[in-house]
């Protein structure tokens, strides 16, 4: 939200109160409280009729500084609040010297505030100032209608770039943009977003999380061009500055605060196939798809039933449509017999025709208006109501309905929608409706994910979610929403996924081929390669099927090639997924994460790394022309063994069965022995492929085994010799190869071979 008219003036009706004179700084055991008057204090009388801006600094975790700005603190706090890790002030150092500024230090992050004169706050990582606040940027705001806001502006350095704020489809770099953190069902072609996260990451080596689950308005170099501005309505603003210096360090600290992604099962990495949305389907249709995949040698892991598995106008009552699925339990058993997992579509809405509407109304489980009536409208479903997940009994009731499906054999849920949440309502727990608008997605996905974890076990729960806010990364997987079937939409989907990954989310997917419309065969085949080199891969559309043979026979071959490739990479992908769970560093990574010092790489939004070692550049043209930026070193194509040198851009042309898929120099890439399914013993028969190992290389590769113990391979190079030592749960067979050469089988726990 913009409050000023250029640099000097405010907009009509807007008044700003700024912290112009620090009256006192009070040190607590692990905090600083700064009291600043909104005009210079030259005499005693200046303290009369004078507002104070109160700023409190603390540290809830190592390398994190919390900043709370308050005007009047007597308001009612109705919540909700983000569920953050329990604070710990261990190691926090506070100093208020008599002759200088006050400091609060937590790990590598030091906050320095003025003890007299105008408000200033400098934030330094490892002694280097990364951003600052001053009395011109921090303000208490009143607009022409009497509404109050708190605004902060943090400085932007020369060439500093801002990323994140959720899954956004606009340009990847946030600089110059106005962003409203407000969940909306706006597709992938607008400034709206399904997953809004008030967290941004800076190329200067820090991140900022605004601890406000409601509407947060950002102006990133778009009101004051040298500042990142954020504001919230009310009398209080709390934000956290999170230290790097590396972007991965920022994400580790941010996800330690807001929650790490859960582990996902190996089967979820395989190919998902959907009925699509408004297509006609029944069990015969479903089985024809599954038979068609098997007959063509296309490995399939999950089958998804979209909306019309239920009766029209009854969504969501969780009752299979008897006209199309007369024997759902038997059908699910038959799908399981084919080695498939089953996912079904749900959302948090209850249509009036559903038998659950009257049940939910009588029990008080539906969101109501202030007059006590059930909130309803006719968008999406006729007479649609909304489940009130702030009511624990409503949560248990909703989970009970889903439990029936799990008992029947359903394995996962697509938790669709959750963005169009009204603000003219009353919540069971008294939550502020404005703050609940974004936070509702968190309650919805947690309700479903917790049930799946309870029934299926930890590490086996998967949702396929569209809406989210900060902390939503704890409930994977998330997909990119409704995109068109075009190359520009494919590119905007990738931008959204990269933005989400810099907002703390470890896994991400999208509709291969696009959702709206029907892609032509060229778009579909190019999207296949991209989709099957994403963390999770789903064939889904709106009004047309996405089975590959519906496009052309080459699409079948492309599907087979990249599905089998992904399944062979499961030893690597599973380890990268474990890293996402343990550290918060995502599976799909913007180039910035792996190459923060490379200023060209930090701006690229048409490619990514899959884990630390594979560079993927989707092809966004039918002809196959693609520009790929290669960082420093000699990178090897995993598909044909060719080598390209960086740092520089390369123009390449690829057939539909290819794309730039480059292995980073210095990589030990574990490649699995199976290409028919993702959930196998990844260590048995694994080949360790070595790419450009320099003299002195020393690395450890861990591969999880079904027993729970890892197979551990230490690879070293000394001069012209490479040595591989296996320990832990050593598989019966494994081998080593330089790049794509023939593997050398192991004859024991050690393999030695000459350097390539």
């Amino acid at each position: 939200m913009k409050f000023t008219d250029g640099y000097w003036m405010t907009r009509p009706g807007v008044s700003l109160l700024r912290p112009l004179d620090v009256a006192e700084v009070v040190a607590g055991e692990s905090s600083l409280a700064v009291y600043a008057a909104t005009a210079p204090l030259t005499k005693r009388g200046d303290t009369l009729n004078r507002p104070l801006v109160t700023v409190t600094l603390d540290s809830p975790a190592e390398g994190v500084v919390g900043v709370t700005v308050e005007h009047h603190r007597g308001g009612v706090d109705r919540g909700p609040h983000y569920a953050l890790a329990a604070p710990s002030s261990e190691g926090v150092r506070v100093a208020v010297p008599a002759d200088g500024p006050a400091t609060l230090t937590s790990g590598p992050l030091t906050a320095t505030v003025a003890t007299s004169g105008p408000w200033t706050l400098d934030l330094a990582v490892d002694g280097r100032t990364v951003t600052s606040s001053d009395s011109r940027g921090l303000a208490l705001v009143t607009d022409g209608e009497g509404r109050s806001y708190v605004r902060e502006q943090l400085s932007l350095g020369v060439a500093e770039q801002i990323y994140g704020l959720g899954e956004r489809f606009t340009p990847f770099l946030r600089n110059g943009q106005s962003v409203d953190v407000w969940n909306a069902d706006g597709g992938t072609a607008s400034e709206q977003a399904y997953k809004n996260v008030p967290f941004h990451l800076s190329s200067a080596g820090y991140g900022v999380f605004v601890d406000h689950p409601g509407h947060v308005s950002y102006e990133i170099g778009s009101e004051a061009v040298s500042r990142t501005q954020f504001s919230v309505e009310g009398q209080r603003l709390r934000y956290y500055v999170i230290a790097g210096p590396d972007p991965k360090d920022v994400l580790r600290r941010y996800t330690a605060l807001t929650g790490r992604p859960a582990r996902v099962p190996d089967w979820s990495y395989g190919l998902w196939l959907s009925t699509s949305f408004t297509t006609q389907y029944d069990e015969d249709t479903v089985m024809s798809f599954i038979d068609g995949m098997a007959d063509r040698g296309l490995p399939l892991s999950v089958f998804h039933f979209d909306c019309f598995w239920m009766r029209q106008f009854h969504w969501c009552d969780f009752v299979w449509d008897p006209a199309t699925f007369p024997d759902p339990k038997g059908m699910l058993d038959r799908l399981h017999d084919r080695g498939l997992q089953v996912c079904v579509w749900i959302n948090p809405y209850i249509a009036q025709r559903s038998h659950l509407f009257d049940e939910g109304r009588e029990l008080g489980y539906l969101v109501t208006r202030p007059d006590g009536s059930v909130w309803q409208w006719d968008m999406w479903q006729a007479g649609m109501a909304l489940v009130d997940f702030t009511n624990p009994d409503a949560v248990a009731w909703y989970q009970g309905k889903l439990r029936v499906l799990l008992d029947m054999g359903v394995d996962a849920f697509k938790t669709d929608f959750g963005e169009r949440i009204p603000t003219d309502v009353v919540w069971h727990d008294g939550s502020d409706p404005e703050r609940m608008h974004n936070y509702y997605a968190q309650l919805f996905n947690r309700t479903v994910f917790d049930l799946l974890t309870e029934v299926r076990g930890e590490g086996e729960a998967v949702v396929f979610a569209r809406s989210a806010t900060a902390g939503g990364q704890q409930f994977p997987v998330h997909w990119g929403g409704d995109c068109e079937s075009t190359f520009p939409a494919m590119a905007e989907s990738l931008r959204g996924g990269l933005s989400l990954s810099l907002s703390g989310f470890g896994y991400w997917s999208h509709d291969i081929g696009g959702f709206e419309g029907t892609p032509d065969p060229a778009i579909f085949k190019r999207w296949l390669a991209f989709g099957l080199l994403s963390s999770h891969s789903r064939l889904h559309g709106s009004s047309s099927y996405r089975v590959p043979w519906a496009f052309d026979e080459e699409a079948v071959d492309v599907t087979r090639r990249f599905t089998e490739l992904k399944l062979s990479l499961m030893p690597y992908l599973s380890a990268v997924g474990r890293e996402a769970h343990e550290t918060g560093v995502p599976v799909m990574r913007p180039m910035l994460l792996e190459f923060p010092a490379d200023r060209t790489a930090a701006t690229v939004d048409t490619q990514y790394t899959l884990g630390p070692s594979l560079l993927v550049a989707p092809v966004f043209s039918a002809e196959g022309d693609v520009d790929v930026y290669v960082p420093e070193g000699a990178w090897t194509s995993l598909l044909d063994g060719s080598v390209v040198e960086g740092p520089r851009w390369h123009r390449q042309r690829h057939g539909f069965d290819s794309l730039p898929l480059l292995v980073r120099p210095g990589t030990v890439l574990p490649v699995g022995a199976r290409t028919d399914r993702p959930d196998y013993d990844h260590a048995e028969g694994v080949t360790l492929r070595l790419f450009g190992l320099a003299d002195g290389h020393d690395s450890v590769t861990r591969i999880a085994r079904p027993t729970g113990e890892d197979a551990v391979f230490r690879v070293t190079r000394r001069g012209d010799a490479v040595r591989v030592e296996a320990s832990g749960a050593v598989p019966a067979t494994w081998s080593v190869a330089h790049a794509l050469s023939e593997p050398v089988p192991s004859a024991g726990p050690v393999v030695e071979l000459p350097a390539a």
Side-chain angles (χ1 to χ4, degrees), residues 31 33 131 145 156 162 204 234 409 418 466 472 494 516 557 625 633 642 660 666 672 692 711 723 732 749:
S31 64
T131 191
E145 299 180 16
L156 284 170
I162 300 298
R466 190 174 77 173
L494 174 56
E516 295 289 350
D557 295 336
D625 293 321
S642 60
R723 179 181 175 89

Short mmCIF file of all heavy atoms in Angstrom, two decimals, residues 31 33 131 145 156 162 204 234 409 418 466 472 494 516 557 625 633 642 660 666 672 692 711 723 732 749:
data_model
loop_
_atom_site.label_atom_id
_atom_site.label_comp_id
_atom_site.label_asym_id
_atom_site.label_seq_id
_atom_site.Cartn_x
_atom_site.Cartn_y
_atom_site.Cartn_z
N SER A 31 16.77 -8.50 25.59
CA SER A 31 15.94 -7.66 24.72
C SER A 31 16.34 -6.19 24.90
O SER A 31 17.00 -5.82 25.87
CB SER A 31 14.46 -7.84 25.04
OG SER A 31 14.17 -7.39 26.36
N ALA A 33 14.29 -2.36 24.54
CA ALA A 33 13.06 -1.60 24.32
C ALA A 33 13.44 -0.16 24.02
O ALA A 33 14.14 0.49 24.81
CB ALA A 33 12.15 -1.66 25.54
N THR A 131 21.11 -4.42 5.95
CA THR A 131 19.95 -3.56 5.74
C THR A 131 19.79 -2.69 6.98
O THR A 131 20.44 -2.91 8.01
CB THR A 131 18.67 -4.38 5.47
OG1 THR A 131 17.63 -3.50 5.03
CG2 THR A 131 18.19 -5.12 6.71
N GLU A 145 -9.60 7.74 6.01
CA GLU A 145 -10.80 7.16 6.59
C GLU A 145 -10.61 6.76 8.04
O GLU A 145 -11.44 6.05 8.62
CB GLU A 145 -11.24 5.95 5.76
CG GLU A 145 -11.58 6.30 4.31
CD GLU A 145 -12.00 5.09 3.51
OE1 GLU A 145 -12.32 4.05 4.12
OE2 GLU A 145 -12.03 5.18 2.28
N LEU A 156 17.48 -0.94 0.70
CA LEU A 156 17.96 -1.81 -0.36
C LEU A 156 19.32 -1.30 -0.82
O LEU A 156 19.48 -0.11 -1.12
CB LEU A 156 17.00 -1.80 -1.55
CG LEU A 156 15.70 -2.58 -1.42
CD1 LEU A 156 14.77 -2.25 -2.58
CD2 LEU A 156 15.99 -4.08 -1.39
N ILE A 162 15.45 -8.92 -4.39
CA ILE A 162 14.50 -9.48 -3.43
C ILE A 162 13.72 -10.60 -4.11
O ILE A 162 13.25 -10.47 -5.26
CB ILE A 162 13.55 -8.40 -2.90
CG1 ILE A 162 14.34 -7.28 -2.21
CG2 ILE A 162 12.50 -8.99 -1.97
CD1 ILE A 162 15.13 -7.72 -1.00
N ALA A 204 21.43 -9.94 -0.54
CA ALA A 204 22.45 -9.36 0.34
C ALA A 204 22.77 -10.25 1.53
O ALA A 204 23.65 -9.90 2.33
CB ALA A 204 22.00 -7.98 0.82
N GLY A 234 -3.54 -1.73 11.68
CA GLY A 234 -3.59 -1.90 13.12
C GLY A 234 -2.55 -1.06 13.82
O GLY A 234 -1.99 -0.11 13.25
N GLY A 409 -9.50 -47.47 1.42
CA GLY A 409 -8.31 -47.71 0.61
C GLY A 409 -7.70 -46.49 -0.04
O GLY A 409 -6.69 -46.60 -0.75
N GLY A 418 -9.54 -23.27 -0.80
CA GLY A 418 -9.13 -22.73 0.49
C GLY A 418 -8.65 -21.29 0.41
O GLY A 418 -8.08 -20.78 1.38
N ARG A 466 -3.27 -26.74 -2.89
CA ARG A 466 -3.16 -25.54 -3.73
C ARG A 466 -2.92 -24.29 -2.90
O ARG A 466 -2.11 -23.45 -3.26
CB ARG A 466 -4.42 -25.37 -4.59
CG ARG A 466 -4.25 -24.29 -5.65
CD ARG A 466 -5.44 -24.22 -6.58
NE ARG A 466 -6.59 -23.55 -5.99
CZ ARG A 466 -7.70 -23.26 -6.66
NH1 ARG A 466 -7.82 -23.62 -7.94
NH2 ARG A 466 -8.71 -22.66 -6.06
N GLY A 472 3.03 -23.52 5.80
CA GLY A 472 2.35 -24.54 5.01
C GLY A 472 3.29 -25.59 4.45
O GLY A 472 2.85 -26.68 4.07
N LEU A 494 6.83 -22.22 -13.75
CA LEU A 494 8.17 -22.41 -13.20
C LEU A 494 8.55 -21.24 -12.29
O LEU A 494 9.09 -21.45 -11.20
CB LEU A 494 9.19 -22.57 -14.32
CG LEU A 494 10.66 -22.64 -13.88
CD1 LEU A 494 10.88 -23.76 -12.88
CD2 LEU A 494 11.58 -22.81 -15.09
N GLU A 516 -5.90 -25.37 -18.18
CA GLU A 516 -6.95 -24.83 -19.03
C GLU A 516 -6.67 -25.12 -20.49
O GLU A 516 -5.57 -24.89 -20.99
CB GLU A 516 -7.06 -23.31 -18.83
CG GLU A 516 -7.52 -22.89 -17.44
CD GLU A 516 -8.98 -23.20 -17.18
OE1 GLU A 516 -9.70 -23.56 -18.14
OE2 GLU A 516 -9.41 -23.08 -16.02
N ASP A 557 6.58 -42.02 -26.10
CA ASP A 557 8.01 -42.28 -25.94
C ASP A 557 8.66 -41.28 -24.99
O ASP A 557 9.53 -41.65 -24.18
CB ASP A 557 8.70 -42.22 -27.30
CG ASP A 557 8.23 -43.31 -28.25
OD1 ASP A 557 7.75 -44.36 -27.76
OD2 ASP A 557 8.32 -43.11 -29.49
N ASP A 625 14.67 -24.69 -29.40
CA ASP A 625 15.73 -23.75 -29.06
C ASP A 625 15.64 -23.35 -27.60
O ASP A 625 14.56 -23.03 -27.10
CB ASP A 625 15.64 -22.52 -29.95
CG ASP A 625 15.93 -22.83 -31.41
OD1 ASP A 625 16.83 -23.65 -31.66
OD2 ASP A 625 15.24 -22.27 -32.28
N GLY A 633 32.80 -23.98 -14.58
CA GLY A 633 33.21 -25.37 -14.58
C GLY A 633 32.78 -26.10 -15.83
O GLY A 633 32.12 -25.55 -16.72
N SER A 642 27.80 -35.08 -23.48
CA SER A 642 28.52 -33.91 -23.99
C SER A 642 28.86 -32.97 -22.83
O SER A 642 28.19 -32.97 -21.80
CB SER A 642 27.69 -33.17 -25.04
OG SER A 642 26.46 -32.74 -24.48
N PRO A 660 18.41 -29.54 -21.83
CA PRO A 660 19.64 -29.41 -21.05
C PRO A 660 19.45 -29.98 -19.64
O PRO A 660 18.68 -29.45 -18.84
CB PRO A 660 19.87 -27.89 -21.01
CG PRO A 660 19.14 -27.35 -22.20
CD PRO A 660 17.93 -28.24 -22.32
N GLY A 666 32.33 -32.29 -10.08
CA GLY A 666 32.57 -32.66 -8.69
C GLY A 666 31.44 -33.46 -8.08
O GLY A 666 31.38 -33.60 -6.85
N GLY A 672 19.93 -45.45 -9.69
CA GLY A 672 19.32 -46.70 -9.27
C GLY A 672 19.25 -47.74 -10.37
O GLY A 672 19.39 -47.44 -11.56
N GLY A 692 33.73 -35.29 -13.09
CA GLY A 692 34.71 -34.23 -12.91
C GLY A 692 35.26 -34.09 -11.51
O GLY A 692 35.34 -32.97 -10.99
N ALA A 711 23.18 -47.05 3.39
CA ALA A 711 24.41 -47.48 2.73
C ALA A 711 25.25 -46.21 2.54
O ALA A 711 24.75 -45.20 2.05
CB ALA A 711 24.11 -48.14 1.40
N ARG A 723 39.16 -43.69 -5.17
CA ARG A 723 38.85 -44.80 -4.26
C ARG A 723 37.44 -44.62 -3.73
O ARG A 723 37.05 -43.52 -3.32
CB ARG A 723 39.85 -44.81 -3.10
CG ARG A 723 39.62 -45.90 -2.05
CD ARG A 723 40.66 -45.78 -0.93
NE ARG A 723 40.43 -46.72 0.14
CZ ARG A 723 40.95 -47.95 0.18
NH1 ARG A 723 41.73 -48.36 -0.80
NH2 ARG A 723 40.71 -48.75 1.21
N ALA A 732 24.30 -55.84 -1.74
CA ALA A 732 24.98 -57.00 -2.30
C ALA A 732 25.71 -56.64 -3.59
O ALA A 732 26.79 -57.17 -3.87
CB ALA A 732 23.99 -58.13 -2.55
N PRO A 749 34.02 -54.21 -0.35
CA PRO A 749 33.64 -52.90 0.16
C PRO A 749 34.45 -51.75 -0.42
O PRO A 749 34.17 -50.59 -0.12
CB PRO A 749 33.89 -53.02 1.66
CG PRO A 749 34.98 -54.05 1.76
CD PRO A 749 34.72 -55.02 0.66
#
